[in-house]
Amino acid sequence: MFSDQRLAELNQPLLAEHQTQFQYTAESPRLRHADVAAVVQKLIDFQVAIPSWALGTGGTRFGRFAAGGEPATLEDKISDVGILQALNRSSNSISLHIPWDIPQDIPGLQQLLKEKGLVIDSVNSNTFQDQKDQPQSYKFGSLSHTDKAVREQAIQHNIDCVRYGRQLDAKTLTIWLADGSNFPGQSHLRRAFLRTQESLAAIYEAMPSDWTMLVEYKPYEPNFYSMVIPDWGTSLALCQTLGQQAQVLVDLGHHLPNTNIEQIVGRLRQFGRLGGFHFNGSMYGDDDLTTGSIKPFQLFLIFNELVDAALDSSVPAEAVAYMIDASHNVKDPLEDLLQSVENILSAYAKALLVDREALAEAQDTNDVVRAEEILRDAFLTDVRPLVSEAYLRAGGAIRPLAAFRAEGVREKLIQQRGKHSVSTGL
Ligand code: RM4
Ligand code: MN
Ligand code: MN
């Protein structure tokens, strides 16, 4: 849909204004301390994975309103991510949820991925729903279940996920457990943890040595009294007993209100255990809204920790798998993802613009106001020209969302796939 030629045509009318704005920003005396060219290069290099389950509309238990033209097959999903990647050049990978997206035609998929310049970054297991023909039920848990047969089925499912992932060169298994209890007394809290630990160890043992296991936590939902892995402390404890290939995954929506997520991020980086990131926006809990739509300052502070840790030689080298884990109930999923990627890049750009030397000095001398002002200065910088410059230099659209609309992408997808084509997922 977006050939280089077409992108050039779409960029043409925006070019002169963009160049003026970029130059103005790059030469701004406020950014004297920053290496703007290096910032743009870092933005070009930054890639965030798109989950195969976020390409259709989500919903709530009250209803779901399909966008039309949703991708019904994995091939269509890859093609949709190809559209995003053509526009912003920052979404070069896809995460798969098994069994929502079991790869079938491996050579065909490999070819398609290559054509679109995409890779599969991680596979996500699903032991929170029962599948047809599945002998054991996950109603009372999976890896933590009291019945060994259920645990074994869940372990095997995770091992199968690795097998699917290997066919497409993925190297990461993401595990999020819905396990927990709804009522006090329902579950023995310590024993549930120990059973989970044992099950995870069996999966870990079966994983190839160049794979990473990401252990995601979540404080509540679908269980409301207790979750077996409710917080980063539990995830970290599990990872530490499993081994170095086990890493914690932070999902921005998986915290109770007002949690200082940036501090969690800083700690996990310090311990060399931050392996994965699920971006989304959150007002109350696991809302899965557009990243940066509700708390842009928090998103910036999180990136500030990531950038700071990457500069600190005492912190183990960074290898974080970034992904957008969102659900779109009222927006066009592709537009929502373009917005999320842009907000992520903007937060990253602002974090890269922080005057770190001045900040360190202000912190060391306990100059509270100056320290805060340094962060606010970076946060309040209009970095849109830098993000646009990164898109442009990488071969994408100066304004991906505008290009998406100008091209009538959704209308074309509806024409191709029909109004009622619905995607797999929640
Ligand atoms: C969970 C969690 C997982 C995601 C599922 C669909 O809340 O965020 O990462 O795979 O939802
Ligand atoms: Mn998640
Ligand atoms: Mn979630």
Side-chain angles (χ1 to χ4, degrees), residues 216 218 251 254 280 286 288 325:
E216 184 172 359
K218 178 166 167 172
D251 181 312
H254 292 192
N280 45 51
D286 195 22
D288 284 343
D325 191 6

Side-chain angles (χ1 to χ4, degrees), residues 78-79 92-93 116 135 175 194 245 258 274 325 342 346 351 356 371 423-424:
I78 293 173
S79 145
N92 73 357
S93 58
K116 308 277 178 196
I175 302 181
L194 289 173
Q245 288 157 258
N258 307 327
L274 181 66
D325 191 6
E342 187 147 315
S346 301
R356 277 181 207 278
S423 166
T424 43

Side-chain angles (χ1 to χ4, degrees), residues 96-333:
L96 298 184
H97 227 301
I98 309 290
W100 295 337
D101 285 299
I102 295 185
Q104 311 278 354
D105 168 19
I106 303 299
L109 289 168
Q110 279 165 337
Q111 177 61 29
L112 188 61
L113 288 166
K114 210 170 135 200
E115 264 167 39
K116 308 277 178 196
L118 303 172
V119 293
I120 300 292
D121 96 308
S122 72
V123 281
N124 298 248
S125 58
N126 177 343
T127 59
F128 46 89
Q129 290 174 320
D130 283 348
Q131 306 302 325
K132 273 201 267 29
D133 311 326
Q134 171 186 306
Q136 310 293 335
S137 169
Y138 297 133
K139 179 171 178 184
F140 295 112
S142 59
L143 295 181
S144 78
H145 203 284
T146 48
D147 183 347
K148 190 158 193 263
V150 183
R151 298 202 297 278
E152 274 169 1
Q153 176 182 282
I155 291 169
Q156 190 53 49
H157 166 70
N158 277 279
I159 295 173
D160 290 344
C161 286
V162 173
R163 188 165 44 81
Y164 289 126
R166 286 183 82 172
Q167 296 175 327
L168 292 171
D169 300 321
K171 292 219 178 327
T172 306
L173 170 69
T174 300
I175 302 181
W176 168 68
L177 286 188
D179 295 32
S181 65
N182 252 342
F183 299 98
Q186 180 188 330
S187 165
H188 189 287
L189 301 179
R190 274 179 293 122
R191 279 186 216 131
F193 175 86
L194 289 173
R195 288 190 295 265
T196 305
Q197 192 173 37
E198 206 184 278
S199 301
L200 286 173
I203 301 165
Y204 190 86
E205 283 311 309
M207 228 176 44
S209 58
D210 57 347
W211 271 59
T212 302
M213 176 192 282
L214 298 178
V215 182
E216 184 172 359
Y217 57 90
K218 178 166 167 172
Y220 69 91
E221 200 210 7
N223 278 291
F224 294 104
Y225 171 66
S226 74
M227 292 285 276
V228 176
I229 312 181
D231 50 30
W232 70 281
T234 308
S235 275
L236 179 63
L238 286 167
C239 290
Q240 279 168 337
T241 58
L242 289 168
Q244 201 51 49
Q245 288 157 258
Q247 296 271 317
V248 179
L249 186 147
V250 176
D251 181 312
L252 293 183
H254 292 192
H255 302 88
L256 297 174
N258 307 327
T259 301
N260 186 337
I261 304 176
E262 56 271 29
Q263 189 168 24
I264 296 174
V265 167
R267 288 281 145 83
L268 288 171
R269 283 287 283 113
Q270 192 156 26
F271 303 151
R273 290 286 181 169
L274 181 66
F277 225 98
H278 282 179
F279 289 108
N280 45 51
S282 161
M283 178 71 189
Y284 303 104
D286 195 22
D287 312 344
D288 284 343
L289 299 171
T290 317
T291 312
S293 59
I294 308 280
K295 293 173 198 146
F297 190 52
Q298 182 190 53
L299 187 62
F300 158 75
L301 293 173
I302 288 167
F303 268 103
N304 181 49
E305 288 303 317
L306 292 168
V307 169
D308 188 79
L311 293 171
D312 188 341
S313 58
S314 67
V315 175
E318 192 175 20
V320 187
Y322 295 104
M323 192 194 89
I324 294 174
D325 191 6
S327 175
H328 334 277
N329 298 347
V330 295
K331 286 179 177 172
D332 179 314

Side-chain angles (χ1 to χ4, degrees), residues 1 14 39 84 125 144 161 243 252 299 355 390 392:
M1 223 179 267
L14 304 171
V39 170
L84 301 177
S125 58
S144 78
C161 286
L252 293 183
L299 187 62
D355 187 343
L392 184 64

Side-chain angles (χ1 to χ4, degrees), residues 40-50 81-82 84-95 116-119 121 275-277 279 303 306 318-324 340-342 344-345 348 390-391 393-396:
V40 171
Q41 189 54 49
K42 283 197 181 304
L43 297 180
I44 293 173
D45 296 340
F46 190 88
Q47 298 293 323
V48 52
I50 305 294
V81 180
L84 301 177
Q85 170 65 355
L87 290 169
N88 65 24
R89 311 288 161 139
S90 310
S91 330
N92 73 357
S93 58
I94 309 180
S95 295
K116 308 277 178 196
L118 303 172
V119 293
D121 96 308
F277 225 98
F279 289 108
F303 268 103
L306 292 168
E318 192 175 20
V320 187
Y322 295 104
M323 192 194 89
I324 294 174
S340 278
V341 172
E342 187 147 315
I344 290 166
L345 290 175
Y348 183 34
Y391 290 148
R393 285 209 5 229

